[in-house]
Amino acid sequence: MKSNISASTSGADVVSGAGSGSDSNLCGVEKVESCTRRRMAANARERRRMQGLNTAFDRLRKVVPQWGQDKKLSKYETLQMALSYIMALTRILTEAERYSSDRRWIHIQYDHIQGSENIQTYLGQAAEKKDSYTDRIFPFNHESFQIVN
DNA sequence: TAGGCCATCTGGTCCT
DNA sequence: AGGACCAGATGGCCTA
């Protein structure tokens, strides 16, 4: 984490509260203190909000396949991976439903998933192997990241 | 050193 | 009025 959090926080808050002319006009000279207090409270709330958001990202990273990466996924990559993961699971469920009466399909799934601790591990390995079957089930790759407008 | 990623501050907007 | 959310700006850290 940042080493200058407290310094930059207090410094910026003081500047915004007492330093800028626009703030003085906005709040009135006699209200500078209260204006500063409100700005500091808003900054603290925003920090807590972003920390909550980051906690949510960490939880998402834990349930999404990492495919052996030692470096943690960025926020953007985490969202893309989650999207791909959900689509893969949806596809598996859809196929399971469609072929629920076909015992051969069940054996095909079993052969592919066998040896993995769970479905998440399996999908992570599937993404690394990239054979035709896993490529169809789990199409995620870094190169496929695109900005969606 | 440039570029990517991130945390924080800040002002604006919307909602209760 | 105050809180939540958002997007832009800024600066620090890390890696190729």
Side-chain angles (χ1 to χ4, degrees):
Chain A
M1 200 63 72
K2 305 251 177 187
S3 57
N4 63 339
I5 288 173
S6 58
S8 83
T9 298
S10 57
D13 285 337
V14 168
V15 167
S16 76
S20 88
S22 62
D23 276 351
S24 297
N25 293 335
L26 209 65
C27 305
V29 177
E30 73 282 356
K31 292 185 178 174
V32 164
E33 259 188 43
S34 119
C35 193
T36 302
R37 231 180 300 123
R38 271 189 287 127
R39 191 60 259 177
M40 289 177 75
N43 289 347
R45 280 195 306 274
E46 179 66 5
R47 275 197 301 276
R48 279 196 301 273
R49 193 181 72 83
M50 294 308 295
Q51 282 161 10
L53 191 61
N54 289 333
T55 301
F57 267 105
D58 286 338
R59 292 175 65 186
L60 190 55
R61 279 188 191 98
K62 284 199 177 95
V63 298
V64 135
Q66 284 275 100
W67 57 9
Q69 285 201 340
D70 47 346
K71 189 166 89 57
K72 81 171 187 181
L73 296 175
S74 71
K75 294 177 180 178
Y76 178 72
E77 288 168 337
T78 302
L79 290 179
Q80 292 292 323
M81 179 62 93
L83 178 63
S84 198
Y85 186 42
I86 290 168
M87 288 170 68
L89 294 177
T90 302
R91 183 184 287 266
I92 287 172
L93 283 178
T94 304
E95 293 201 1
E97 206 165 280
R98 195 196 309 168
Y99 299 108
S100 59
S101 59
D102 187 346
R103 298 189 67 81
R104 278 176 307 162
W105 185 88
I106 295 176
H107 283 120
I108 290 170
Q109 307 308 306
Y110 179 78
D111 288 343
H112 274 88
I113 297 175
Q114 194 178 24
S116 302
E117 292 170 22
N118 51 42
I119 191 68
Q120 182 186 341
T121 310
Y122 161 69
L123 286 174
Q125 292 166 349
E128 281 184 323
K129 279 192 275 184
K130 284 285 176 193
D131 60 34
S132 61
Y133 175 83
T134 55
D135 202 37
R136 186 166 55 85
I137 292 295
F138 195 72
F140 173 88
N141 64 68
H142 283 285
E143 286 70 28
S144 72
F145 284 156
Q146 287 176 354
I147 303 293
V148 179
N149 293 317

